[in-house]
Amino acid sequence: MITLTVNGQTHQIDAEPDTPLLWVLRDFLGHNGAKYGCGIAYCGACTVHVDGNAVRSCIVPASAAEGSDIRTIEDLDNHPVQQAWIEHQVPQCGYCQSGMIMAAKGLLDRNPEPSDADIDAAITNVCRCGTYTRIRTAIHTAAATMREARS
Amino acid sequence: MKMEVSRREFLQGSGSAAASLVIGFHVPLKPARAQFGGPPEPFVVDRDMVNAYLTFNSDETVSIVSAAAELGQGSLTSLPMLIAEELELALEQVRIEQAPLNESAFKNRLFGYQTTVGTSAVRWAFDPLRQLGANTRELLRNAAAVTWDIPLEETVADRGRVTHPASGRSLSYFELGETAAGMEIPTDVPLKPQSEWRILGTPFPRWDTEAKSTATANYGIDMQVEGMVVATIAATPVPGGTLRSVDPEPALSVNGVEEVVTLDDAVVVTATNYWSAKKGLDALDPQWDLGPVAARNSENIREEMLHLLDQPGNEAVNEGDIESAMQEAAQVVTATYEAPYWAHATLEPLNATADYRGDSIEFWLGTQSPGRIQSMCALTFPEVPQENIIVNNQYLGGGFGRRGDPMAPEQAALVSRQVGKPVKLIWSREEDMTHGAYRPKSVIRMEGSLDGEGRVTGFRGRIAVQSTLASLIDNPDVPFDPFATEGLIDDDYRFPALNFEYHSPRPGIPVGFYRGVGFIHNTFYRESFMDELAHAAGRDPIEFRLELAGHRERNVLLLNTLAERSNWGHPAPGNVQGVAFAYSDESTVGEVFEASVSDDGRVRLHKITCVCDVGVYMNPMMIEHQMESAITWGLTSAMYGEILIDNGATRQRNFNEYELVRISHIPEIDTVILPPTDTPGSGGECGAPPAPPALANAICAATGSRLRSMPFRIHGISFA
């Protein structure tokens, strides 16, 4: 049994301790936002937040996340990053975008006014459709919205 | 009495025979593709067709079925807008639904079955769906005129209602449904001119954006079906191999594993969850009979292809007197180029959920070709009537030509038949990458002749490339393969003499349709070689191309716009520029890459200028997105893409061995769309072919070194 706190709810899960967090979220808890892309932490489609940090859940054993605050894209409710994604019509196939949004939120949570270079350094997720220029623009828009909300 | 009118009921119930309308529509196909696809099939706007596409709701919204699969290209949204434009709906009244499998209503009229491939969605649907909207609108106006006993001319259709301005009366389309159901569908309705379009030609938002930004979009891999098990698979590592034996015990001792299932050429583990299935599969040691392809590797495949370049091949084109052109030339330039196998590497690995029930099979997956899955599974499962094979399409986590393949759903159904439960089969990333239907490797030798004035007098070449067409129609002896030479012999350039031949070697490596198909490597060859010719002639590369492409005014406009917009010839200090230009699938695109290259081969892109002629377009925003997308696709292909074969098996297993371009590599992309014409071109692929040669030509401008093979990585080129 593993005990995980996901989006503020605590779950007892009958999964093997080495099961990656990604597959616990998807196959045991039905949170399908985090996606499987590579299983080796390369692509970032599986990005979720663990204790406020964006992590690649495909290589995090669920047992290592016990006691942590796990947040998935399902926890976001019309977040400024999501608003910006819709405003700039970012997604194409969309498969990477949950991970992109969580990576972008992770960046903005610690850097409220990122430069293009900051974005390029922080967003290492891959998008096979090539939505990158829209992602860059949307992150700037979301940053501005979040700054306004704070001021 | 007002009630929600179902798709089945609307417009039914008339005792009179419905008048039907055969709409002939013209999609310009170049001869090669026409030979492949045949002439477009007719689309008849009768009651069944209207009922299949439209549901009028009591809240004055209209649900419109989209015949296109959504793989990122936006056609899910664009096709219904063709109907909405003529039906006089406001954008906010449109609800979009994914088409069920229904060949008679939703098949792609260019390909003859229900499929979203070849950047053909808008090209097949442009006239038929507008006509469906127009005929239905006129039917509703007729119904209002009859209801109010007034002349048709006094009615106006607007925003989902028909009104009579003179009396102020108004009825919604929903309210008119019952009356319309008893009337004939008008057949001779003229389509609106572009100048009166209100939705088409504007940047309308995509239907799927919100779902994809809030993780509510359902992909094949997200399917949950009552009672299902999750499975993962290891198929023969060498194409054509078979499973000799496997001891199931190591997998069965893994918690969560249910069964080990063997197929002729694969072993599958089913479990309560993916991780258990994967652990179980990893614990197995299957033994294979690998077959003859195990003798093939990248080196001997390449050698065979180079050898073929010395033999006469199939003639693709022979215009003018090429021998004289070469003999009388002031200069002849010769070069050999090559490109490797490329993997689609869709971010969502292939998967399918199947429920085999003896007399029926139900599938859930994201597919470009539900029609092909049905017809292929009807062959694999002869005990199941074809009409009982149901395909529920989901969003596709990337398609790019890979997701028309019936292999994963067939495997899922075979396993479901054995275990007696619904099965969600997920290919691991490693399975996906090592079992691709790759863009074929090719090698080419080209010759160009120049006269004393530096004008091209002849262009000839010979290419060796596996047949992509043969992979689709399962016939290695196709009489002519248009994909072998597309991008080399098209009419965008005219040469006084032009001669190309091709060979179709059969090394046994599976190949398939990859975004850009033949154009993407052939444009790299042609446009890099044109740069070599321009250099040999001492001429400016854009001026040189203007001479070759000047027979079409649109080409001249495109190239001049590209030169002006990119500030051609005047890069920022320290930067270089490279250009490429190419026709593909009824569209033409020119790109200029501005870059800087360090002494150790590190490339930084500073700006990409893209000018495209896509004919008439539905949504300029989606065209821009697709150009950005296709350029990125081309860059991954050019810089990184390389599948290598060792003893018949694919060497690369995951993204760490098959890298993808990232955000830090992509600069500003400035896209200009030429003013629309009257006929649709394509949008989803045409931006890709110019990207590799534009980059190669820029690198050559910086280093003096001509890159004659992809990926550029193997030449010591990397992104800064």
Side-chain angles (χ1 to χ4, degrees):
Chain A
M1 276 295 181
I2 301 168
T3 305
L4 292 180
T5 304
V6 180
N7 301 335
Q9 288 206 321
T10 300
H11 302 269
Q12 300 277 328
I13 301 148
D14 185 16
E16 292 293 291
D18 66 344
T19 308
L21 178 57
L22 170 67
W23 293 107
V24 172
L25 292 170
R26 291 182 58 83
D27 284 356
F28 291 83
L29 298 178
H31 292 319
N32 279 332
K35 296 294 194 252
Y36 168 59
C38 65
I40 59 167
Y42 181 96
C43 75
C46 63
T47 303
V48 301
H49 288 200
V50 176
D51 295 330
N53 298 311
V55 303
R56 298 195 170 173
S57 64
C58 70
I59 58 154
V60 177
S63 55
E66 284 190 297
S68 291
D69 179 19
I70 301 161
R71 299 281 165 175
T72 71
I73 189 167
E74 285 85 359
D75 190 48
L76 302 187
D77 181 15
N78 200 25
H79 189 275
V81 172
Q82 293 175 303
Q83 293 170 19
W85 247 242
I86 293 167
E87 178 186 340
H88 294 286
Q89 296 278 299
V90 171
Q92 290 188 23
C93 94
Y95 193 75
C96 72
Q97 298 296 349
S98 292
M100 285 285 184
I101 287 168
M102 295 307 281
K105 179 178 183 296
L107 167 64
L108 295 174
D109 284 347
R110 54 173 204 280
N111 180 353
E113 198 165 357
S115 65
D116 280 349
D118 294 337
I119 293 170
D120 285 356
I123 305 298
T124 56
N125 299 33
V126 295
C127 170
R128 189 65 164 130
C129 298
T131 61
Y132 294 128
T133 62
R134 310 272 152 179
I135 287 171
R136 208 181 273 132
T137 307
I139 289 174
H140 287 304
T141 298
T145 307
M146 290 166 73
R147 285 198 303 275
E148 275 170 34
R150 273 191 293 269
S151 64
Chain B
M1 185 175 138
K2 296 179 188 176
M3 53 189 287
E4 210 75 16
V5 180
S6 79
R7 190 170 301 117
R8 299 273 167 271
E9 293 159 2
F10 181 72
L11 299 187
Q12 287 178 350
S14 164
S16 64
S20 64
L21 171 66
V22 178
I23 301 166
F25 69 98
H26 173 70
V27 175
L29 281 171
K30 63 183 175 170
R33 284 268 169 119
Q35 185 180 348
F36 163 54
E41 296 184 18
F43 182 91
V44 183
V45 181
D46 58 14
R47 275 159 212 282
D48 287 345
M49 194 66 85
V50 174
N51 287 330
Y53 275 91
L54 299 175
T55 303
F56 292 87
N57 305 312
S58 57
D59 63 358
E60 300 194 19
T61 62
V62 181
S63 300
I64 307 180
V65 172
S66 183
E70 183 52 65
L71 33 146
Q73 83 288 27
S75 307
L76 180 81
T77 308
S78 292
L79 294 201
M81 293 309 169
L82 293 165
I83 300 174
E85 178 67 56
E86 289 288 345
L87 200 50
E88 297 296 353
L89 296 175
L91 208 52
E92 57 271 19
Q93 292 177 291
V94 177
R95 302 284 176 271
I96 295 176
E97 296 175 3
Q98 174 67 65
L101 178 50
N102 174 352
E103 295 279 10
S104 62
F106 305 124
K107 76 176 160 190
N108 181 325
R109 262 64 188 174
L110 286 178
F111 285 81
Y113 62 108
Q114 198 169 326
T115 188
T116 307
V117 294
T119 47
S120 61
V122 168
R123 279 183 291 150
W124 86 254
F126 183 60
D127 280 356
L129 294 192
R130 287 188 302 146
Q131 197 69 61
L132 186 147
N135 293 10
T136 308
R137 178 197 71 225
E138 289 305 291
L139 171 68
L140 292 160
R141 286 182 65 208
N142 282 336
V146 166
T147 302
W148 298 324
D149 193 21
I150 57 170
L152 174 67
E153 294 68 33
E154 294 183 14
T155 66
V156 176
D158 185 33
R159 303 180 69 84
R161 301 186 72 83
V162 181
T163 57
H164 181 223
S167 66
R169 283 177 292 190
S170 172
L171 287 168
S172 73
Y173 291 171
F174 174 80
E175 291 166 322
L176 289 163
E178 224 166 299
T179 307
M183 300 177 65
E184 289 193 1
I185 302 176
T187 59
D188 52 355
V189 183
L191 299 175
K192 290 162 71 172
Q194 280 182 37
S195 57
E196 291 176 18
W197 282 356
R198 298 195 294 188
I199 297 174
L200 298 181
T202 71
F204 49 82
R206 293 171 58 128
W207 178 251
D208 48 337
T209 298
E210 190 170 331
K212 289 176 175 176
S213 302
T214 55
T216 53
N218 206 61
Y219 297 82
I221 203 169
D222 300 329
M223 281 312 306
Q224 292 290 331
V225 176
E226 184 73 27
M228 78 175 193
V229 291
V230 181
T232 193
I233 188 168
T236 167
V238 174
T242 53
L243 181 67
R244 187 193 309 149
S245 64
V246 64
D247 172 12
E249 283 309 317
L252 294 173
S253 62
V254 173
N255 277 348
V257 166
E258 296 203 348
E259 294 186 53
V260 174
V261 175
T262 58
L263 306 179
D264 291 345
D265 61 352
V267 58
V268 180
V269 175
T270 68
T272 57
N273 67 93
Y274 175 79
W275 183 250
S276 292
K278 178 180 162 47
K279 275 177 76 176
L281 189 68
D282 289 349
L284 296 178
D285 184 22
Q287 301 299 305
W288 309 98
D289 289 318
L290 295 175
V293 179
R296 304 314 303 257
N297 55 54
S298 293
E299 291 73 27
N300 64 30
I301 292 169
R302 177 172 184 269
E303 278 163 23
E304 178 190 349
M305 290 180 166
L306 285 169
H307 176 71
L308 285 171
L309 293 189
D310 295 327
Q311 324 287 324
N314 300 308
E315 188 176 89
V317 64
N318 187 19
E319 294 168 1
D321 185 348
I322 193 71
E323 293 300 338
S324 298
M326 293 296 158
Q327 282 161 17
E328 292 160 15
Q331 245 192 111
V332 173
V333 178
T334 304
T336 302
Y337 280 70
E338 64 186 288
Y341 293 105
W342 282 333
H344 297 78
T346 59
L347 209 54
E348 180 191 15
L350 291 192
N351 63 81
T353 302
D355 187 7
Y356 178 92
R357 302 173 189 133
D359 58 353
S360 67
I361 309 173
E362 186 161 6
F363 289 108
W364 298 263
L365 78 164
T367 177
Q368 292 177 248
S369 301
R372 182 164 161 81
I373 289 173
Q374 189 189 51
S375 58
M376 297 300 282
C377 286
L379 298 175
T380 307
F381 302 94
E383 72 278 19
V384 179
Q386 181 160 339
E387 64 272 20
N388 289 359
I389 298 172
I390 299 159
V391 181
N392 300 289
N393 214 352
Q394 312 298 316
Y395 284 119
L396 284 69
F400 315 121
R402 185 69 184 102
R403 274 199 155 82
D405 190 353
M407 190 182 287
E410 275 179 357
Q411 291 168 340
L414 287 167
V415 177
S416 175
R417 184 166 70 180
Q418 289 201 40
V419 303
K421 298 174 183 177
V423 171
K424 173 159 75 175
L425 173 68
I426 300 172
W427 288 18
S428 66
R429 170 57 55 198
E430 291 80 6
E431 183 74 7
D432 185 282
M433 190 160 287
T434 53
H435 294 77
Y438 308 112
R439 198 296 316 255
K441 175 177 176 59
S442 57
V443 298
I444 186 171
R445 188 174 302 138
M446 292 174 286
E447 284 182 289
S449 54
L450 297 166
D451 67 14
E453 311 295 315
R455 289 183 298 244
V456 186
T457 57
F459 179 39
R460 79 171 163 193
R462 190 177 286 159
I463 186 169
V465 58
Q466 269 175 266
S467 173
T468 309
L469 179 56
S471 76
L472 181 68
I473 62 174
D474 305 314
N475 174 8
D477 298 314
V478 290
F480 178 66
D481 184 359
F483 304 106
T485 51
E486 64 181 9
L488 292 164
I489 62 169
D490 301 280
D491 192 46
D492 53 338
Y493 288 166
R494 283 193 181 160
F495 301 96
L498 177 68
N499 175 284
F500 266 86
E501 297 175 1
Y502 68 94
H503 287 280
S504 308
R506 297 184 210 166
I509 306 303
V511 298
F513 289 79
Y514 172 102
R515 190 182 197 181
V517 195
F519 290 109
I520 191 165
H521 50 272
N522 287 338
T523 295
F524 167 66
Y525 300 148
R526 188 192 77 170
E527 285 298 285
S528 298
F529 191 64
M530 288 303 130
D531 227 54
E532 294 201 54
L533 289 178
H535 283 223
R539 294 174 62 182
D540 174 82
I542 286 188
E543 183 266 332
F544 186 80
R545 285 170 170 81
L546 272 166
E547 187 171 276
L548 295 169
H551 57 284
R552 278 190 70 215
E553 282 181 24
R554 299 277 289 187
N555 289 346
V556 176
L557 174 64
L558 191 156
L559 282 164
N560 284 333
T561 305
L562 181 64
E564 186 182 322
R565 189 81 168 213
S566 66
N567 205 17
W568 176 252
H570 306 282
N575 291 357
V576 290
Q577 290 172 317
V579 64
F581 168 90
Y583 160 93
S584 65
D585 295 313
E586 316 306 333
S587 290
T588 307
V589 181
E591 291 167 16
V592 167
F593 279 42
E594 182 161 338
S596 54
V597 186
S598 71
D599 291 342
D600 59 351
R602 292 181 175 273
V603 175
R604 179 168 292 283
L605 297 175
H606 298 282
K607 186 184 177 186
I608 295 170
T609 307
C610 171
V611 182
C612 60
D613 178 0
V614 295
V616 60
Y617 47 87
M618 308 303 98
N619 185 333
M621 181 181 67
M622 283 193 219
I623 296 295
E624 283 181 24
H625 286 205
Q626 285 308 297
M627 293 305 140
E628 294 161 11
S629 174
I631 286 167
T632 307
W633 180 262
L635 282 175
T636 283
S637 306
M639 285 293 290
Y640 294 134
E642 184 177 37
I643 288 292
L644 296 169
I645 307 299
D646 297 324
N647 300 322
T650 297
R651 183 186 304 175
Q652 286 73 22
R653 298 178 57 76
N654 207 318
F655 293 138
N656 57 333
E657 298 169 313
Y658 196 95
E659 296 240 28
L660 305 177
V661 160
R662 295 177 193 261
I663 196 170
S664 57
H665 306 139
I666 299 296
E668 173 196 355
I669 300 175
D670 178 27
T671 298
V672 180
I673 309 171
L674 291 192
T677 61
D678 294 328
T679 47
S682 61
E685 300 183 73
C686 57
L695 176 59
N697 294 340
I699 291 170
C700 185
T703 64
S705 174
R706 180 63 60 185
L707 302 175
R708 294 198 183 90
S709 63
M710 296 187 281
F712 303 155
R713 171 178 53 82
I714 63 175
H715 303 287
I717 300 294
S718 62
F719 281 118

